[in-house]
Amino acid sequence: MVTEEKEEIVLSSQHMEEEGLTEWAAAFKLGTAGYRDQLDPDDIDNPTVAFNRTKVAVIAEAKARVYDRLCRDKEGKIERHVG
């Protein structure tokens, strides 16, 4: 879905608890292909699956911060892709 609307997710303590982010982060393993199948196509916000809107946003933000650190001395822009 392509949209021009800005979407913001605020990770309050309550939202983190509702999403189970602490447990999810503890069990997360980078490069785990099995996560592809652990989503709910009928509910993008389902907190019981490994991939939902919030968890993908957390991964994207972490990836962006890593790229910013790795490329801070490079001139020009870098392109970030999640997926």
Side-chain angles (χ1 to χ4, degrees):
M1 173 174 80
V2 176
T3 180
E4 298 297 322
E5 295 178 30
K6 181 180 177 182
E7 186 168 342
E8 185 173 299
I9 297 172
V10 178
L11 294 177
S12 66
S13 296
Q14 179 182 352
H15 187 70
M16 290 176 66
E17 185 176 326
E18 289 170 353
E19 289 289 325
L21 288 181
T22 301
E23 297 80 10
W24 171 77
F28 184 81
K29 293 189 179 19
L30 188 60
T32 304
Y35 274 109
R36 287 187 203 126
D37 298 328
Q38 298 177 10
L39 54 86
D40 182 349
D42 296 323
D43 182 5
I44 194 171
D45 294 310
N46 183 340
T48 65
V49 296
F51 268 168
N52 66 14
R53 181 191 320 252
T54 299
K55 293 167 185 164
V56 169
V58 168
I59 293 168
E61 179 63 22
K63 187 174 180 178
R65 289 181 187 207
V66 167
Y67 277 119
D68 284 347
R69 285 186 183 178
L70 291 175
C71 300
R72 85 175 81 181
D73 297 331
K74 306 217 182 332
E75 292 186 29
K77 296 182 179 180
I78 60 170
E79 182 178 326
R80 300 180 191 130
H81 170 73
V82 177

